[in-house]
Every structure is written in C-alpha cells, then in structure tokens.
C-alpha cells in the first residue's frame, strides 16, 4: 500500500473514522459505502478525521456532504475534522462546509 492509497480506520469506541490518502473517484465509491454502513450503525455522533487526506476532488466532497446530511436525518451528528492548513480544511472552507480543527 502506498502512502497516498485510500484506506481508513474506524475507532468505534471513540466514534472516529480516520481517512487516509487520496479520495479519488474510485476511493469515493468505497468511501460512500463505508459512510453508509457506519452512519447506519452509529446512534451517537461520528467524527470523520480528514487530517491525513492528500487529495479530495469534488466527488469526494459530495460524498462527505451527502453522508452528513443523511446521517443528520437519521439522528446522527457527523463532524468533519480538518486541522488548519490541511488540504481538507482549505477545501471544506471553500465549499462552505463546517468542520472542527481537532477532535
């Protein structure tokens, strides 16, 4: 696995989904599946840590935004986490999506 290859870690105890690598078109499909499963299973808040994301085009942002809205309708709060200066923080700001800088 290369450093930029998409993968994720789920800490169910803390309610944190950490994403790593490039969220290209192929990864966006996998990300949608993961988020659907995770948000359907969680009954409390979920933080999606984007600190280690190295590439995030508009399809990935769309997946994140629509997943957060779906989770909200199901009563689950999803918080994007993107430390200042990261690619994710810059893109979320440009897209007007709220996020936290730390978990």
């Amino acid at each position: 696995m290369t450093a930029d290859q998409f993968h994720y870690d789920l800490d169910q105890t803390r309610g944190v989904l950490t994403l790593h690598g490039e969220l290209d078109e192929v990864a966006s499909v996998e990300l949608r599946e993961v988020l659907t499963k995770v948000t359907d299973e969680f009954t409390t808040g979920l933080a999606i840590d984007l600190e280690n994301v190295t590439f995030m085009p508009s399809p990935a942002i769309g997946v994140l935004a629509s997943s957060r809205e779906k989770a909200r309708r199901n009563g689950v709060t999803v918080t994007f986490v993107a430390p200042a200066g990261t690619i994710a923080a810059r893109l979320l700001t440009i897209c007007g999506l709220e996020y936290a800088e730390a978990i």
Side-chain angles (χ1 to χ4, degrees):
M1 178 183 313
T2 64
D4 287 333
Q5 186 175 354
F6 173 70
H7 62 284
Y8 65 91
D9 301 303
L10 176 60
D11 182 338
Q12 291 182 325
T13 304
R14 293 178 48 222
V16 178
L17 177 66
T18 304
L19 306 181
H20 305 270
E22 295 185 355
L23 298 179
D24 59 16
E25 288 186 43
V26 174
S28 292
V29 172
E30 183 178 355
L31 177 61
R32 182 180 305 281
E33 292 169 1
V34 168
L35 288 173
T36 297
K37 181 178 184 228
V38 170
T39 56
D40 285 348
E41 291 176 357
F42 270 72
T43 57
T44 59
L46 174 69
I48 300 176
D49 184 350
L50 301 164
E51 179 175 5
N52 298 309
V53 170
T54 58
F55 178 69
M56 191 166 66
S58 58
I61 293 168
V63 168
L64 290 170
S66 63
S67 295
R68 177 158 67 181
E69 183 56 33
K70 179 184 174 198
R72 186 179 323 185
R73 287 192 307 267
N74 292 335
V76 177
T77 301
V78 172
T79 303
F80 302 138
V81 180
T86 61
I87 290 169
R90 290 191 298 266
L91 292 171
L92 292 172
T93 298
I94 290 168
C95 293
L97 296 171
E98 293 180 13
Y99 65 95
E101 290 187 0
I103 296 175

